[in-house]
Amino acid sequence: MTTDVGTRLTIAQAVERLMRDGMPFHFEAYDGSSAGPPAAEAPLTVRLLTERGLAYLMTAPGDLGFARAFVAGDLELEGVSLANPYDLMLLVQSRLRLRMPAPGELLRIVRSLGLVHLKPPPPPPQEHLPRWRRAMEGLRHSKIRDAEAIHHHYDVSNRFYELVLGPSMTYTCAVFPTADATLEQAQHEKYDLVARKLGLKPGDRLLDVGCGWGGMVRHAARHHGVKVIGITLSRQQAEWAQARIEAEGLADLAEVRFGDYRDVQETGFDAVSSIGLTEHIGVRNYGEYFTFLQSRLRTGGRMLNHCITRRDGSLDTNAGAFIDRYVFPDGELAPVGTIVSAMHDHGLEVRHVEDLREHYALTLRSWSENLEAHWDEALEEVPLGTAKVWGLYMAGSRLAFERAEIGLHHVLGVKVGEGGDAQMPLRPTWGS
């Protein structure tokens, strides 16, 4: 595309110039310009509706600017489900390629779009504080700051989570015994697999850190006769979980507390399960984390760590801008080798590692389908912007697991006695 140097570009022309391989969708802007294939032939239509939306895109290029404009309602998508925009994420990943213009061309694009749009508008209310502002609330991964990060994501609406997660109220990767298993069957299998890996039996004591709504707590008590303490930093989760424990007649075996795992005073547990907590504690804190948890175990006790992992060590441990500001503030991911080393170096002999990456993609697909099926009811619980965040986050995460950009690992460790007795079977007994 060629134009005279002095000609002002339309918004559509400016955006098109940033596309290395052309526009993969139909694009329309509030100035009346358009680009890309005709709307009738395009897989979807993207409409930029306001100057504020343009300012979001210009001041935070990439996923953060897109999220701000989309969540605020300044960017509209036609042909894509708001609850499950998986097709959009797939299109962006497979066909959208951006290029960096030469300095002179970039300056022309910016001037055409308007220098006034380089002033960042206030972000949508769903966005968490930037990291430099969070630092004013306390050190990263301090008890106060961790509590605020958990509150931001989990204390939304228990009813909203029921609609998305289903009856199990389980917000972690399921384990699908077959490809056509239901989400509830897969979540039951996940909890039972954890229980089998931990060797749980009637009368054992289990500590479940980061217990969420108490799924593992209730499963271990009901199906394995185990006495369980669960702990979560979300008050809403703790209240929901304790009410469910009492309603199911498990109060003599199970308890869920609102608090920090570092405040657990009891020791001598036969097992510790950590299902989806490690992502929140910070890579630099792994040593302290595993040291503390192994100190809660008896000799011969086992720990199962279940968490999302980076593909390899060359990648930044910090979450991307969208995830950090809208989903998991202060979240960090490390490759599985880092977790294995940290466990080994802090009192736990690693006995088994398993990658369940594909299972998380299937889990997220089910959650997205749940949100889509209950969209109208979900909007009675949370604002439209919040529901949009969830749609984007789950669809994008599903694609990341499918493409092996992130994984989900079980790492099983044991606290070995001085004589080297791990109290483990010679071969695993928990099945495939």
Side-chain angles (χ1 to χ4, degrees), residues 355-403:
D355 188 355
L356 298 166
R357 174 176 63 82
E358 293 87 351
H359 293 263
Y360 217 155
L362 293 173
T363 304
L364 285 155
R365 183 186 68 181
S366 296
W367 291 342
S368 294
E369 291 171 350
N370 283 345
L371 179 58
E372 193 165 22
H374 299 287
W375 182 252
D376 291 339
E377 193 174 352
L379 293 182
E380 296 176 3
E381 298 295 325
V382 300
L384 175 60
T386 301
K388 285 181 177 180
V389 167
W390 275 81
L392 275 180
Y393 146 63
M394 292 193 298
S397 297
R398 171 188 168 187
L399 188 60
F401 281 106
E402 289 176 347
R403 296 166 68 96

mmCIF file of all heavy atoms in Angstrom, residues 355-403:
data_model
loop_
_atom_site.group_PDB
_atom_site.id
_atom_site.type_symbol
_atom_site.label_atom_id
_atom_site.label_comp_id
_atom_site.label_asym_id
_atom_site.label_seq_id
_atom_site.Cartn_x
_atom_site.Cartn_y
_atom_site.Cartn_z
ATOM 1 N N ASP A 355 3.112 -35.112 33.660
ATOM 2 C CA ASP A 355 2.613 -33.939 32.940
ATOM 3 C C ASP A 355 1.174 -34.205 32.509
ATOM 4 O O ASP A 355 0.890 -35.194 31.826
ATOM 5 C CB ASP A 355 3.488 -33.654 31.716
ATOM 6 C CG ASP A 355 3.134 -32.333 31.040
ATOM 7 O OD1 ASP A 355 2.156 -31.685 31.451
ATOM 8 O OD2 ASP A 355 3.844 -31.949 30.090
ATOM 9 N N LEU A 356 0.261 -33.315 32.894
ATOM 10 C CA LEU A 356 -1.155 -33.453 32.570
ATOM 11 C C LEU A 356 -1.622 -32.300 31.681
ATOM 12 O O LEU A 356 -2.785 -31.893 31.735
ATOM 13 C CB LEU A 356 -1.978 -33.490 33.857
ATOM 14 C CG LEU A 356 -1.682 -34.664 34.795
ATOM 15 C CD1 LEU A 356 -2.295 -34.427 36.170
ATOM 16 C CD2 LEU A 356 -2.213 -35.961 34.202
ATOM 17 N N ARG A 357 -0.720 -31.807 30.839
ATOM 18 C CA ARG A 357 -0.996 -30.608 30.042
ATOM 19 C C ARG A 357 -2.298 -30.708 29.237
ATOM 20 O O ARG A 357 -3.141 -29.793 29.256
ATOM 21 C CB ARG A 357 0.182 -30.348 29.090
ATOM 22 C CG ARG A 357 -0.055 -29.214 28.106
ATOM 23 C CD ARG A 357 1.196 -28.958 27.278
ATOM 24 N NE ARG A 357 1.588 -30.089 26.456
ATOM 25 C CZ ARG A 357 1.053 -30.375 25.272
ATOM 26 N NH1 ARG A 357 0.082 -29.620 24.780
ATOM 27 N NH2 ARG A 357 1.480 -31.409 24.560
ATOM 28 N N GLU A 358 -2.482 -31.783 28.511
ATOM 29 C CA GLU A 358 -3.671 -31.906 27.658
ATOM 30 C C GLU A 358 -4.961 -31.914 28.483
ATOM 31 O O GLU A 358 -6.018 -31.467 28.023
ATOM 32 C CB GLU A 358 -3.602 -33.177 26.809
ATOM 33 C CG GLU A 358 -2.505 -33.173 25.751
ATOM 34 C CD GLU A 358 -1.159 -33.677 26.252
ATOM 35 O OE1 GLU A 358 -1.036 -33.878 27.488
ATOM 36 O OE2 GLU A 358 -0.243 -33.875 25.432
ATOM 37 N N HIS A 359 -4.854 -32.408 29.712
ATOM 38 C CA HIS A 359 -6.035 -32.453 30.569
ATOM 39 C C HIS A 359 -6.512 -31.051 30.951
ATOM 40 O O HIS A 359 -7.713 -30.822 31.117
ATOM 41 C CB HIS A 359 -5.734 -33.263 31.834
ATOM 42 C CG HIS A 359 -5.497 -34.713 31.566
ATOM 43 N ND1 HIS A 359 -6.474 -35.676 31.696
ATOM 44 C CD2 HIS A 359 -4.380 -35.373 31.150
ATOM 45 C CE1 HIS A 359 -5.982 -36.867 31.395
ATOM 46 N NE2 HIS A 359 -4.705 -36.706 31.060
ATOM 47 N N TYR A 360 -5.556 -30.120 31.068
ATOM 48 C CA TYR A 360 -5.989 -28.762 31.412
ATOM 49 C C TYR A 360 -6.676 -28.093 30.225
ATOM 50 O O TYR A 360 -7.608 -27.298 30.391
ATOM 51 C CB TYR A 360 -4.828 -27.917 31.916
ATOM 52 C CG TYR A 360 -5.237 -26.977 33.036
ATOM 53 C CD1 TYR A 360 -4.312 -26.521 33.968
ATOM 54 C CD2 TYR A 360 -6.555 -26.560 33.190
ATOM 55 C CE1 TYR A 360 -4.677 -25.685 35.013
ATOM 56 C CE2 TYR A 360 -6.937 -25.719 34.220
ATOM 57 C CZ TYR A 360 -5.993 -25.283 35.129
ATOM 58 O OH TYR A 360 -6.377 -24.456 36.158
ATOM 59 N N ALA A 361 -6.232 -28.388 29.026
ATOM 60 C CA ALA A 361 -6.927 -27.855 27.854
ATOM 61 C C ALA A 361 -8.374 -28.345 27.822
ATOM 62 O O ALA A 361 -9.308 -27.580 27.543
ATOM 63 C CB ALA A 361 -6.191 -28.263 26.578
ATOM 64 N N LEU A 362 -8.577 -29.629 28.125
ATOM 65 C CA LEU A 362 -9.936 -30.178 28.154
ATOM 66 C C LEU A 362 -10.749 -29.564 29.296
ATOM 67 O O LEU A 362 -11.954 -29.301 29.143
ATOM 68 C CB LEU A 362 -9.875 -31.697 28.319
ATOM 69 C CG LEU A 362 -9.290 -32.486 27.145
ATOM 70 C CD1 LEU A 362 -9.123 -33.956 27.513
ATOM 71 C CD2 LEU A 362 -10.179 -32.353 25.908
ATOM 72 N N THR A 363 -10.113 -29.326 30.423
ATOM 73 C CA THR A 363 -10.797 -28.708 31.559
ATOM 74 C C THR A 363 -11.273 -27.305 31.194
ATOM 75 O O THR A 363 -12.420 -26.924 31.456
ATOM 76 C CB THR A 363 -9.863 -28.643 32.774
ATOM 77 O OG1 THR A 363 -9.384 -29.953 33.083
ATOM 78 C CG2 THR A 363 -10.576 -28.062 33.981
ATOM 79 N N LEU A 364 -10.386 -26.521 30.600
ATOM 80 C CA LEU A 364 -10.738 -25.150 30.213
ATOM 81 C C LEU A 364 -11.826 -25.131 29.148
ATOM 82 O O LEU A 364 -12.698 -24.250 29.161
ATOM 83 C CB LEU A 364 -9.490 -24.417 29.733
ATOM 84 C CG LEU A 364 -8.538 -23.998 30.854
ATOM 85 C CD1 LEU A 364 -7.115 -23.847 30.337
ATOM 86 C CD2 LEU A 364 -9.007 -22.690 31.493
ATOM 87 N N ARG A 365 -11.792 -26.075 28.240
ATOM 88 C CA ARG A 365 -12.866 -26.171 27.252
ATOM 89 C C ARG A 365 -14.208 -26.355 27.951
ATOM 90 O O ARG A 365 -15.201 -25.707 27.600
ATOM 91 C CB ARG A 365 -12.604 -27.333 26.293
ATOM 92 C CG ARG A 365 -13.652 -27.460 25.185
ATOM 93 C CD ARG A 365 -13.440 -28.708 24.356
ATOM 94 N NE ARG A 365 -13.704 -29.927 25.126
ATOM 95 C CZ ARG A 365 -13.568 -31.160 24.643
ATOM 96 N NH1 ARG A 365 -13.139 -31.346 23.411
ATOM 97 N NH2 ARG A 365 -13.821 -32.202 25.425
ATOM 98 N N SER A 366 -14.243 -27.211 28.951
ATOM 99 C CA SER A 366 -15.486 -27.453 29.688
ATOM 100 C C SER A 366 -15.934 -26.209 30.442
ATOM 101 O O SER A 366 -17.126 -25.878 30.467
ATOM 102 C CB SER A 366 -15.299 -28.618 30.658
ATOM 103 O OG SER A 366 -15.052 -29.825 29.974
ATOM 104 N N TRP A 367 -15.004 -25.509 31.083
ATOM 105 C CA TRP A 367 -15.370 -24.285 31.799
ATOM 106 C C TRP A 367 -15.918 -23.229 30.843
ATOM 107 O O TRP A 367 -16.894 -22.547 31.150
ATOM 108 C CB TRP A 367 -14.162 -23.729 32.540
ATOM 109 C CG TRP A 367 -13.715 -24.561 33.707
ATOM 110 C CD1 TRP A 367 -14.426 -25.530 34.365
ATOM 111 C CD2 TRP A 367 -12.450 -24.483 34.365
ATOM 112 N NE1 TRP A 367 -13.687 -26.067 35.377
ATOM 113 C CE2 TRP A 367 -12.467 -25.442 35.413
ATOM 114 C CE3 TRP A 367 -11.306 -23.718 34.187
ATOM 115 C CZ2 TRP A 367 -11.376 -25.629 36.268
ATOM 116 C CZ3 TRP A 367 -10.223 -23.902 35.029
ATOM 117 C CH2 TRP A 367 -10.259 -24.844 36.063
ATOM 118 N N SER A 368 -15.286 -23.090 29.672
ATOM 119 C CA SER A 368 -15.765 -22.120 28.683
ATOM 120 C C SER A 368 -17.171 -22.476 28.217
ATOM 121 O O SER A 368 -18.028 -21.595 28.041
ATOM 122 C CB SER A 368 -14.806 -22.072 27.492
ATOM 123 O OG SER A 368 -13.541 -21.566 27.862
ATOM 124 N N GLU A 369 -17.406 -23.749 27.996
ATOM 125 C CA GLU A 369 -18.742 -24.192 27.587
ATOM 126 C C GLU A 369 -19.763 -23.913 28.683
ATOM 127 O O GLU A 369 -20.908 -23.534 28.395
ATOM 128 C CB GLU A 369 -18.712 -25.676 27.238
ATOM 129 C CG GLU A 369 -17.937 -25.977 25.960
ATOM 130 C CD GLU A 369 -17.721 -27.463 25.728
ATOM 131 O OE1 GLU A 369 -18.009 -28.264 26.663
ATOM 132 O OE2 GLU A 369 -17.262 -27.838 24.636
ATOM 133 N N ASN A 370 -19.365 -24.087 29.943
ATOM 134 C CA ASN A 370 -20.267 -23.774 31.047
ATOM 135 C C ASN A 370 -20.618 -22.288 31.079
ATOM 136 O O ASN A 370 -21.780 -21.910 31.273
ATOM 137 C CB ASN A 370 -19.626 -24.168 32.384
ATOM 138 C CG ASN A 370 -19.666 -25.661 32.646
ATOM 139 O OD1 ASN A 370 -20.399 -26.397 31.989
ATOM 140 N ND2 ASN A 370 -18.880 -26.111 33.601
ATOM 141 N N LEU A 371 -19.610 -21.431 30.911
ATOM 142 C CA LEU A 371 -19.865 -19.994 30.916
ATOM 143 C C LEU A 371 -20.777 -19.612 29.758
ATOM 144 O O LEU A 371 -21.698 -18.794 29.917
ATOM 145 C CB LEU A 371 -18.546 -19.221 30.831
ATOM 146 C CG LEU A 371 -18.666 -17.688 30.809
ATOM 147 C CD1 LEU A 371 -19.393 -17.172 32.048
ATOM 148 C CD2 LEU A 371 -17.284 -17.035 30.683
ATOM 149 N N GLU A 372 -20.549 -20.204 28.601
ATOM 150 C CA GLU A 372 -21.378 -19.901 27.435
ATOM 151 C C GLU A 372 -22.822 -20.348 27.669
ATOM 152 O O GLU A 372 -23.772 -19.629 27.334
ATOM 153 C CB GLU A 372 -20.799 -20.602 26.203
ATOM 154 C CG GLU A 372 -21.364 -20.135 24.889
ATOM 155 C CD GLU A 372 -20.522 -20.589 23.714
ATOM 156 O OE1 GLU A 372 -19.765 -21.567 23.851
ATOM 157 O OE2 GLU A 372 -20.618 -19.960 22.644
ATOM 158 N N ALA A 373 -22.997 -21.518 28.264
ATOM 159 C CA ALA A 373 -24.343 -22.049 28.497
ATOM 160 C C ALA A 373 -25.097 -21.242 29.552
ATOM 161 O O ALA A 373 -26.332 -21.189 29.532
ATOM 162 C CB ALA A 373 -24.255 -23.510 28.917
ATOM 163 N N HIS A 374 -24.360 -20.608 30.473
ATOM 164 C CA HIS A 374 -25.003 -19.882 31.581
ATOM 165 C C HIS A 374 -24.699 -18.386 31.524
ATOM 166 O O HIS A 374 -24.697 -17.714 32.564
ATOM 167 C CB HIS A 374 -24.517 -20.459 32.913
ATOM 168 C CG HIS A 374 -24.834 -21.903 33.103
ATOM 169 N ND1 HIS A 374 -26.101 -22.372 33.361
ATOM 170 C CD2 HIS A 374 -24.034 -23.010 33.051
ATOM 171 C CE1 HIS A 374 -26.080 -23.688 33.477
ATOM 172 N NE2 HIS A 374 -24.839 -24.104 33.286
ATOM 173 N N TRP A 375 -24.459 -17.864 30.330
ATOM 174 C CA TRP A 375 -24.017 -16.491 30.166
ATOM 175 C C TRP A 375 -24.975 -15.482 30.804
ATOM 176 O O TRP A 375 -24.561 -14.599 31.570
ATOM 177 C CB TRP A 375 -23.826 -16.180 28.689
ATOM 178 C CG TRP A 375 -23.325 -14.808 28.382
ATOM 179 C CD1 TRP A 375 -24.022 -13.773 27.829
ATOM 180 C CD2 TRP A 375 -21.995 -14.301 28.604
ATOM 181 N NE1 TRP A 375 -23.225 -12.673 27.682
ATOM 182 C CE2 TRP A 375 -21.978 -12.959 28.148
ATOM 183 C CE3 TRP A 375 -20.831 -14.850 29.136
ATOM 184 C CZ2 TRP A 375 -20.838 -12.162 28.213
ATOM 185 C CZ3 TRP A 375 -19.693 -14.052 29.209
ATOM 186 C CH2 TRP A 375 -19.699 -12.730 28.749
ATOM 187 N N ASP A 376 -26.263 -15.583 30.515
ATOM 188 C CA ASP A 376 -27.221 -14.611 31.037
ATOM 189 C C ASP A 376 -27.268 -14.658 32.561
ATOM 190 O O ASP A 376 -27.316 -13.607 33.224
ATOM 191 C CB ASP A 376 -28.618 -14.876 30.463
ATOM 192 C CG ASP A 376 -28.702 -14.573 28.973
ATOM 193 O OD1 ASP A 376 -27.845 -13.817 28.483
ATOM 194 O OD2 ASP A 376 -29.623 -15.094 28.314
ATOM 195 N N GLU A 377 -27.241 -15.853 33.128
ATOM 196 C CA GLU A 377 -27.258 -15.972 34.578
ATOM 197 C C GLU A 377 -25.953 -15.452 35.175
ATOM 198 O O GLU A 377 -25.954 -14.842 36.251
ATOM 199 C CB GLU A 377 -27.483 -17.428 34.989
ATOM 200 C CG GLU A 377 -27.830 -17.600 36.448
ATOM 201 C CD GLU A 377 -28.195 -19.019 36.812
ATOM 202 O OE1 GLU A 377 -28.329 -19.860 35.896
ATOM 203 O OE2 GLU A 377 -28.345 -19.304 38.015
ATOM 204 N N ALA A 378 -24.845 -15.670 34.476
ATOM 205 C CA ALA A 378 -23.552 -15.168 34.966
ATOM 206 C C ALA A 378 -23.560 -13.648 35.051
ATOM 207 O O ALA A 378 -22.985 -13.063 35.986
ATOM 208 C CB ALA A 378 -22.425 -15.648 34.056
ATOM 209 N N LEU A 379 -24.224 -12.997 34.084
ATOM 210 C CA LEU A 379 -24.270 -11.538 34.078
ATOM 211 C C LEU A 379 -25.147 -10.979 35.197
ATOM 212 O O LEU A 379 -25.108 -9.779 35.463
ATOM 213 C CB LEU A 379 -24.767 -11.030 32.719
ATOM 214 C CG LEU A 379 -23.821 -11.281 31.541
ATOM 215 C CD1 LEU A 379 -24.396 -10.702 30.259
ATOM 216 C CD2 LEU A 379 -22.440 -10.692 31.807
ATOM 217 N N GLU A 380 -25.924 -11.829 35.841
ATOM 218 C CA GLU A 380 -26.658 -11.398 37.025
ATOM 219 C C GLU A 380 -25.759 -11.378 38.258
ATOM 220 O O GLU A 380 -26.100 -10.777 39.276
ATOM 221 C CB GLU A 380 -27.850 -12.332 37.273
ATOM 222 C CG GLU A 380 -28.898 -12.306 36.159
ATOM 223 C CD GLU A 380 -30.005 -13.323 36.393
ATOM 224 O OE1 GLU A 380 -29.978 -13.989 37.443
ATOM 225 O OE2 GLU A 380 -30.893 -13.455 35.521
ATOM 226 N N GLU A 381 -24.600 -12.047 38.145
ATOM 227 C CA GLU A 381 -23.667 -12.156 39.267
ATOM 228 C C GLU A 381 -22.490 -11.203 39.166
ATOM 229 O O GLU A 381 -21.969 -10.741 40.186
ATOM 230 C CB GLU A 381 -23.148 -13.599 39.367
ATOM 231 C CG GLU A 381 -24.215 -14.631 39.624
ATOM 232 C CD GLU A 381 -24.868 -14.457 40.983
ATOM 233 O OE1 GLU A 381 -24.162 -14.066 41.940
ATOM 234 O OE2 GLU A 381 -26.085 -14.687 41.087
ATOM 235 N N VAL A 382 -22.024 -10.932 37.945
ATOM 236 C CA VAL A 382 -20.845 -10.086 37.747
ATOM 237 C C VAL A 382 -21.108 -9.108 36.613
ATOM 238 O O VAL A 382 -21.960 -9.362 35.746
ATOM 239 C CB VAL A 382 -19.587 -10.932 37.428
ATOM 240 C CG1 VAL A 382 -19.272 -11.898 38.556
ATOM 241 C CG2 VAL A 382 -19.752 -11.675 36.105
ATOM 242 N N PRO A 383 -20.382 -7.988 36.563
ATOM 243 C CA PRO A 383 -20.530 -7.053 35.447
ATOM 244 C C PRO A 383 -20.101 -7.693 34.123
ATOM 245 O O PRO A 383 -19.318 -8.646 34.103
ATOM 246 C CB PRO A 383 -19.601 -5.895 35.833
ATOM 247 C CG PRO A 383 -19.372 -6.032 37.299
ATOM 248 C CD PRO A 383 -19.451 -7.494 37.589
ATOM 249 N N LEU A 384 -20.589 -7.123 33.026
ATOM 250 C CA LEU A 384 -20.237 -7.630 31.705
ATOM 251 C C LEU A 384 -18.726 -7.642 31.502
ATOM 252 O O LEU A 384 -18.171 -8.596 30.946
ATOM 253 C CB LEU A 384 -20.910 -6.766 30.620
ATOM 254 C CG LEU A 384 -20.549 -7.097 29.168
ATOM 255 C CD1 LEU A 384 -20.932 -8.534 28.810
ATOM 256 C CD2 LEU A 384 -21.227 -6.108 28.215
ATOM 257 N N GLY A 385 -18.039 -6.594 31.957
ATOM 258 C CA GLY A 385 -16.593 -6.535 31.783
ATOM 259 C C GLY A 385 -15.884 -7.688 32.459
ATOM 260 O O GLY A 385 -14.936 -8.263 31.915
ATOM 261 N N THR A 386 -16.333 -8.061 33.654
ATOM 262 C CA THR A 386 -15.730 -9.186 34.370
ATOM 263 C C THR A 386 -15.962 -10.489 33.625
ATOM 264 O O THR A 386 -15.052 -11.321 33.502
ATOM 265 C CB THR A 386 -16.310 -9.279 35.792
ATOM 266 O OG1 THR A 386 -16.038 -8.054 36.492
ATOM 267 C CG2 THR A 386 -15.717 -10.451 36.559
ATOM 268 N N ALA A 387 -17.172 -10.682 33.135
ATOM 269 C CA ALA A 387 -17.477 -11.893 32.365
ATOM 270 C C ALA A 387 -16.632 -11.958 31.098
ATOM 271 O O ALA A 387 -16.168 -13.034 30.700
ATOM 272 C CB ALA A 387 -18.961 -11.937 32.023
ATOM 273 N N LYS A 388 -16.399 -10.821 30.456
ATOM 274 C CA LYS A 388 -15.530 -10.781 29.263
ATOM 275 C C LYS A 388 -14.108 -11.211 29.618
ATOM 276 O O LYS A 388 -13.456 -11.937 28.849
ATOM 277 C CB LYS A 388 -15.501 -9.368 28.675
ATOM 278 C CG LYS A 388 -16.750 -8.950 27.917
ATOM 279 C CD LYS A 388 -16.534 -7.534 27.379
ATOM 280 C CE LYS A 388 -17.684 -7.036 26.553
ATOM 281 N NZ LYS A 388 -17.442 -5.651 26.056
ATOM 282 N N VAL A 389 -13.613 -10.730 30.760
ATOM 283 C CA VAL A 389 -12.272 -11.123 31.204
ATOM 284 C C VAL A 389 -12.181 -12.639 31.306
ATOM 285 O O VAL A 389 -11.214 -13.254 30.837
ATOM 286 C CB VAL A 389 -11.929 -10.466 32.557
ATOM 287 C CG1 VAL A 389 -10.682 -11.110 33.171
ATOM 288 C CG2 VAL A 389 -11.715 -8.973 32.384
ATOM 289 N N TRP A 390 -13.182 -13.264 31.903
ATOM 290 C CA TRP A 390 -13.167 -14.705 32.072
ATOM 291 C C TRP A 390 -13.217 -15.430 30.734
ATOM 292 O O TRP A 390 -12.537 -16.438 30.547
ATOM 293 C CB TRP A 390 -14.327 -15.128 32.973
ATOM 294 C CG TRP A 390 -13.932 -15.026 34.400
ATOM 295 C CD1 TRP A 390 -13.905 -13.901 35.175
ATOM 296 C CD2 TRP A 390 -13.433 -16.078 35.210
ATOM 297 N NE1 TRP A 390 -13.431 -14.199 36.425
ATOM 298 C CE2 TRP A 390 -13.144 -15.529 36.472
ATOM 299 C CE3 TRP A 390 -13.223 -17.441 34.997
ATOM 300 C CZ2 TRP A 390 -12.642 -16.290 37.526
ATOM 301 C CZ3 TRP A 390 -12.735 -18.195 36.050
ATOM 302 C CH2 TRP A 390 -12.442 -17.617 37.285
ATOM 303 N N GLY A 391 -14.022 -14.922 29.818
ATOM 304 C CA GLY A 391 -14.071 -15.548 28.499
ATOM 305 C C GLY A 391 -12.723 -15.521 27.807
ATOM 306 O O GLY A 391 -12.246 -16.534 27.282
ATOM 307 N N LEU A 392 -12.073 -14.355 27.813
ATOM 308 C CA LEU A 392 -10.750 -14.216 27.195
ATOM 309 C C LEU A 392 -9.715 -15.098 27.877
ATOM 310 O O LEU A 392 -8.929 -15.801 27.224
ATOM 311 C CB LEU A 392 -10.289 -12.765 27.266
ATOM 312 C CG LEU A 392 -10.729 -11.779 26.203
ATOM 313 C CD1 LEU A 392 -10.142 -10.415 26.513
ATOM 314 C CD2 LEU A 392 -10.302 -12.243 24.813
ATOM 315 N N TYR A 393 -9.693 -15.025 29.182
ATOM 316 C CA TYR A 393 -8.683 -15.744 29.965
ATOM 317 C C TYR A 393 -8.777 -17.253 29.756
ATOM 318 O O TYR A 393 -7.763 -17.934 29.536
ATOM 319 C CB TYR A 393 -8.842 -15.353 31.433
ATOM 320 C CG TYR A 393 -8.547 -16.416 32.441
ATOM 321 C CD1 TYR A 393 -7.282 -16.975 32.556
ATOM 322 C CD2 TYR A 393 -9.544 -16.858 33.309
ATOM 323 C CE1 TYR A 393 -7.019 -17.956 33.505
ATOM 324 C CE2 TYR A 393 -9.288 -17.821 34.254
ATOM 325 C CZ TYR A 393 -8.030 -18.375 34.346
ATOM 326 O OH TYR A 393 -7.770 -19.342 35.275
ATOM 327 N N MET A 394 -9.971 -17.803 29.811
ATOM 328 C CA MET A 394 -10.104 -19.259 29.687
ATOM 329 C C MET A 394 -9.816 -19.731 28.265
ATOM 330 O O MET A 394 -9.153 -20.759 28.064
ATOM 331 C CB MET A 394 -11.491 -19.703 30.156
ATOM 332 C CG MET A 394 -11.701 -19.517 31.646
ATOM 333 S SD MET A 394 -13.170 -20.349 32.315
ATOM 334 C CE MET A 394 -14.486 -19.524 31.429
ATOM 335 N N ALA A 395 -10.301 -18.994 27.270
ATOM 336 C CA ALA A 395 -10.037 -19.390 25.882
ATOM 337 C C ALA A 395 -8.556 -19.289 25.555
ATOM 338 O O ALA A 395 -7.979 -20.180 24.913
ATOM 339 C CB ALA A 395 -10.857 -18.527 24.928
ATOM 340 N N GLY A 396 -7.918 -18.206 25.999
ATOM 341 C CA GLY A 396 -6.492 -18.052 25.733
ATOM 342 C C GLY A 396 -5.653 -19.080 26.454
ATOM 343 O O GLY A 396 -4.672 -19.603 25.909
ATOM 344 N N SER A 397 -6.028 -19.405 27.688
ATOM 345 C CA SER A 397 -5.285 -20.411 28.448
ATOM 346 C C SER A 397 -5.444 -21.790 27.818
ATOM 347 O O SER A 397 -4.475 -22.564 27.745
ATOM 348 C CB SER A 397 -5.773 -20.431 29.895
ATOM 349 O OG SER A 397 -5.517 -19.204 30.531
ATOM 350 N N ARG A 398 -6.643 -22.103 27.378
ATOM 351 C CA ARG A 398 -6.852 -23.394 26.701
ATOM 352 C C ARG A 398 -5.902 -23.525 25.512
ATOM 353 O O ARG A 398 -5.250 -24.564 25.336
ATOM 354 C CB ARG A 398 -8.302 -23.501 26.233
ATOM 355 C CG ARG A 398 -8.566 -24.705 25.339
ATOM 356 C CD ARG A 398 -9.962 -24.649 24.742
ATOM 357 N NE ARG A 398 -10.130 -25.626 23.679
ATOM 358 C CZ ARG A 398 -11.218 -25.704 22.898
ATOM 359 N NH1 ARG A 398 -12.220 -24.855 23.080
ATOM 360 N NH2 ARG A 398 -11.279 -26.617 21.942
ATOM 361 N N LEU A 399 -5.814 -22.473 24.717
ATOM 362 C CA LEU A 399 -4.943 -22.525 23.545
ATOM 363 C C LEU A 399 -3.480 -22.664 23.959
ATOM 364 O O LEU A 399 -2.708 -23.385 23.319
ATOM 365 C CB LEU A 399 -5.149 -21.265 22.705
ATOM 366 C CG LEU A 399 -4.463 -21.234 21.342
ATOM 367 C CD1 LEU A 399 -4.948 -22.381 20.463
ATOM 368 C CD2 LEU A 399 -4.720 -19.899 20.651
ATOM 369 N N ALA A 400 -3.087 -22.004 25.036
ATOM 370 C CA ALA A 400 -1.700 -22.092 25.494
ATOM 371 C C ALA A 400 -1.345 -23.513 25.919
ATOM 372 O O ALA A 400 -0.233 -23.990 25.653
ATOM 373 C CB ALA A 400 -1.479 -21.118 26.649
ATOM 374 N N PHE A 401 -2.281 -24.206 26.575
ATOM 375 C CA PHE A 401 -2.023 -25.601 26.943
ATOM 376 C C PHE A 401 -1.993 -26.490 25.698
ATOM 377 O O PHE A 401 -1.143 -27.386 25.596
ATOM 378 C CB PHE A 401 -3.085 -26.098 27.922
ATOM 379 C CG PHE A 401 -2.858 -25.648 29.336
ATOM 380 C CD1 PHE A 401 -3.645 -24.654 29.896
ATOM 381 C CD2 PHE A 401 -1.844 -26.206 30.104
ATOM 382 C CE1 PHE A 401 -3.433 -24.229 31.194
ATOM 383 C CE2 PHE A 401 -1.621 -25.789 31.407
ATOM 384 C CZ PHE A 401 -2.419 -24.792 31.955
ATOM 385 N N GLU A 402 -2.880 -26.255 24.765
ATOM 386 C CA GLU A 402 -2.889 -27.056 23.541
ATOM 387 C C GLU A 402 -1.591 -26.904 22.770
ATOM 388 O O GLU A 402 -1.088 -27.878 22.185
ATOM 389 C CB GLU A 402 -4.068 -26.650 22.660
ATOM 390 C CG GLU A 402 -5.423 -27.067 23.199
ATOM 391 C CD GLU A 402 -6.577 -26.570 22.355
ATOM 392 O OE1 GLU A 402 -6.362 -25.690 21.487
ATOM 393 O OE2 GLU A 402 -7.713 -27.043 22.558
ATOM 394 N N ARG A 403 -1.032 -25.716 22.765
ATOM 395 C CA ARG A 403 0.172 -25.433 21.985
ATOM 396 C C ARG A 403 1.458 -25.694 22.780
ATOM 397 O O ARG A 403 2.550 -25.347 22.326
ATOM 398 C CB ARG A 403 0.139 -23.973 21.510
ATOM 399 C CG ARG A 403 -1.012 -23.691 20.552
ATOM 400 C CD ARG A 403 -1.223 -22.188 20.374
ATOM 401 N NE ARG A 403 -0.120 -21.566 19.676
ATOM 402 C CZ ARG A 403 -0.093 -21.314 18.364
ATOM 403 N NH1 ARG A 403 -1.125 -21.644 17.607
ATOM 404 N NH2 ARG A 403 0.946 -20.723 17.812
#
